[in-house]
Amino acid sequence: MKASDLWRLAWRGLTRRRVRTLLTALGITVAVASMVIFLSLGEGIRKVFTSELGGIGPDIQVSLTPLSQGMALHPNLPQSTVTQLQALAPELGIETVTPVIMAVRGGLDPTQSVVLYGLPASGGIGAVFPSTALAQGRLLTAADEQTGAAVVGAKAAQNLRLSIGSTLNLNRRASVKVVGVLAPQSGLVDNFIFMPLTPLQRSEGAEDRVSLVAVKLKDPRQARAVATGISDRLNLEAATQSDFLSFIERALRISDAVRFGISLIALIVGGLAVANTVMMGVYERTREFGTLRAIGARPAFVRALVLTESLLLSLVGGVGGVLLGLVGIVVVNLYTQQLAGIDAAALTPRLTLLALGISFLLGLLSGLLPARNASRLSITDALGRV
């Protein structure tokens, strides 16, 4: 018998109880869709960091806090570190040294969360983010270092309803005027509010301290060697862009494992539903299997037929799960685009293959026991079953 005939017989067996088969396939669909949506969040964030961090930001970030403990936001690094790095500039091939202080402002509403990014106004935003472009107003100038001003990313301006001339309150005693709005660029920079270093230090009570020092190199290919030299000589943490991406990748792998573990519960329930449906089909078709055996069908054929039914049911649910998951990903991205200007979820080829592979494995494991029972039926017992 041809393989196509086997699949045709399996399809006929499943469609005899259409409602039961449909409900089981829907269970698999929902389980696979939940896994696809959960894991797509890691894939999407991975793509965001890989595509955007490679073209923005400094070659090296110097701080007191290692990446293993998270991003360095607390201003605990003495500003004198800038002078020390400038002294090493000729030897290490350092082009610019920019002190940075960072602070997060947010509330219960995620759309109200922004990152305040303070840096010397004289050097400008281009010292750290050279690809930024202005949409309205002006950029920071040296005169803003004492009076205070703010240049707002496109998404931050939209979420906080800021425009040229708006007042941005830093705390009860400090505020600055918005003097510029950046053109939409990336999901990261679009949520930044850039300010002169000194006013943000005053508002945070962190005079003469910074969160990190951004280092730009003449030859970015030497970033690893220069970072090692800075760490050894100044006893500080120096992380390259590749270090940061590696840290993000490790964190995402852990979160992927957690999300997959949550999805596994739904997948197990779906697998039990498939096993139940196929087992009931074997029980209801006992006389049919006995007749097949009586006219010469071997136990291996019966076993293959039942396994094929299980695989077919799971693969239909798997394909439906991928399609339903794609719809969920579109909905997630519509929300995250509005929230932060990024696509936080992505359906990648490897995620698609993983979903279909798990569906195949689920069908195989769910059909083993029913197939074994069907192949071991006694011909006389099966034909005598009423």
Side-chain angles (χ1 to χ4, degrees):
M1 179 177 285
K2 298 180 180 179
S4 58
D5 295 330
L6 186 64
W7 285 93
R8 190 177 299 111
L9 284 174
W11 179 253
R12 289 179 180 176
L14 290 174
T15 53
R16 290 182 180 181
R17 296 290 185 269
R18 296 185 179 183
V19 174
R20 184 171 63 197
T21 299
L22 177 61
L23 292 176
T24 305
L26 284 177
I28 295 293
T29 297
V30 172
V32 173
S34 66
M35 182 195 70
V36 168
I37 294 174
F38 280 160
L39 296 184
S40 70
L41 294 173
E43 294 293 302
I45 295 173
R46 190 176 285 109
K47 287 180 64 176
V48 168
F49 279 101
T50 301
S51 61
E52 295 187 0
L53 281 184
I56 64 173
D59 297 317
I60 299 174
Q61 292 187 8
V62 180
S63 65
L64 282 176
T65 307
L67 280 178
S68 58
Q69 298 180 14
M71 287 290 294
L73 294 180
H74 182 66
N76 56 2
L77 183 67
Q79 195 165 339
S80 58
T81 304
V82 175
T83 305
Q84 296 173 324
L85 288 170
Q86 289 172 340
L88 296 174
E91 179 183 351
L92 298 180
I94 296 175
E95 183 175 347
T96 60
V97 178
T98 306
V100 173
I101 182 171
M102 300 175 67
V104 176
R105 292 290 186 272
L108 296 178
D109 186 356
T111 61
Q112 303 302 305
S113 298
V114 294
V115 176
L116 303 180
Y117 199 97
L119 71 176
S122 57
I125 301 171
V128 181
F129 302 97
S131 58
T132 53
L134 192 65
Q136 302 175 36
R138 64 174 177 85
L139 295 174
L140 299 176
T141 63
D144 296 323
E145 192 65 49
Q146 297 303 321
T147 58
V151 175
V152 186
K155 184 57 65 173
Q158 175 184 331
N159 291 340
L160 299 181
R161 296 181 175 84
L162 296 174
S163 58
I164 305 300
S166 298
T167 299
L168 176 65
N169 294 317
L170 303 178
N171 54 43
R172 291 179 65 89
R173 298 183 178 181
S175 62
V176 294
K177 291 287 185 180
V178 175
V179 297
V181 177
L182 297 177
Q185 179 192 358
S186 72
L188 300 176
V189 177
D190 286 351
N191 288 280
F192 283 8
I193 295 179
F194 294 94
M195 294 178 51
L197 181 69
T198 303
L200 188 53
Q201 284 178 317
R202 285 199 299 262
S203 70
E204 296 296 309
E207 287 82 353
D208 298 322
R209 286 179 288 132
V210 295
S211 301
L212 58 91
V213 177
V215 177
K216 203 77 173 174
L217 302 179
K218 296 177 181 178
D219 184 4
R221 293 174 297 180
Q222 302 298 319
R224 170 45 50 208
V226 175
T228 302
I230 292 174
S231 296
D232 293 341
R233 298 192 185 192
L234 301 183
N235 192 27
L236 295 171
E237 297 290 336
T240 64
Q241 284 189 354
S242 61
D243 292 333
F244 185 76
L245 289 175
S246 297
F247 168 73
I248 293 296
E249 179 65 26
R250 289 194 299 271
L252 287 176
R253 285 179 181 176
I254 294 174
S255 65
D256 285 345
V258 173
R259 288 193 295 270
F260 181 75
I262 296 173
S263 303
L264 193 59
I265 299 174
L267 290 171
I268 291 174
V269 174
L272 292 175
V274 172
N276 178 71
T277 297
V278 176
M279 185 69 80
M280 290 297 295
V282 169
Y283 178 79
E284 293 170 353
R285 296 156 59 198
T286 300
R287 288 177 58 85
E288 177 184 331
F289 291 140
T291 303
L292 288 174
R293 292 290 310 282
I295 62 177
R298 295 182 176 275
F301 171 78
V302 176
R303 184 166 53 247
L305 178 60
V306 175
L307 270 177
T308 302
E309 290 182 6
S310 178
L311 290 173
L312 184 59
L313 184 56
S314 294
L315 287 178
V316 168
V319 173
V322 172
L323 296 177
L324 182 60
L326 182 59
V327 174
I329 288 172
V330 172
V331 173
V332 170
N333 286 338
L334 287 175
Y335 175 73
T336 56
Q337 276 289 345
Q338 181 182 6
L339 181 67
I342 62 172
D343 289 333
L347 182 63
T348 58
R350 70 173 183 176
L351 180 54
T352 302
L353 291 176
L354 176 65
L356 295 179
I358 289 179
S359 299
F360 180 86
L361 182 62
L362 198 64
L364 182 63
L365 295 177
S366 301
L368 285 177
L369 182 59
R372 174 178 175 273
N373 292 343
S375 66
R376 292 189 173 187
L377 286 173
S378 168
I379 297 177
T380 55
D381 292 341
L383 293 176
R385 184 77 62 84
V386 177

